[in-house]
Amino acid sequence: IDATDRLALSAALAPTTDLLAPGVDVVAALPRSAHAPVTGSSASAARVAGAAALCRALAPDLSAASVRALLRASRRPLPLFE
């Protein structure tokens, strides 16, 4: 999704997609301490993975299913899916 909660043109959704993350113009670290905006599933997947890692850092005994449930419970509805 982009900054206005619109689905990116490059987004590939499956019928089972139940969690989205920003993936348009996400600032990414580049070699030699540079930064630049990137777009794509690699950008959004990193945010979801980071959120999952924070869950496990706070509660190391959480199972993968519990982390998934936490992430799904914390999502907010988007108009594009209503």
Side-chain angles (χ1 to χ4, degrees):
I1 59 174
D2 66 15
T4 61
D5 287 343
R6 290 193 179 120
L7 192 61
L9 294 176
S10 61
L13 298 179
T16 57
T17 299
D18 58 10
L19 185 65
L20 300 174
V24 177
D25 293 334
V26 175
V27 177
L30 300 175
R32 293 183 276 289
S33 300
H35 295 84
V38 296
T39 296
S41 58
S42 297
S44 57
R47 286 186 174 218
V48 174
L54 288 171
C55 289
R56 290 293 303 273
L58 291 172
D61 294 333
L62 284 176
S63 67
S66 295
V67 171
R68 180 179 179 181
L70 279 171
L71 293 176
R72 292 179 75 200
S74 68
R75 65 189 173 182
R76 64 179 171 81
L78 292 176
L80 66 103
F81 288 113
E82 294 176 351

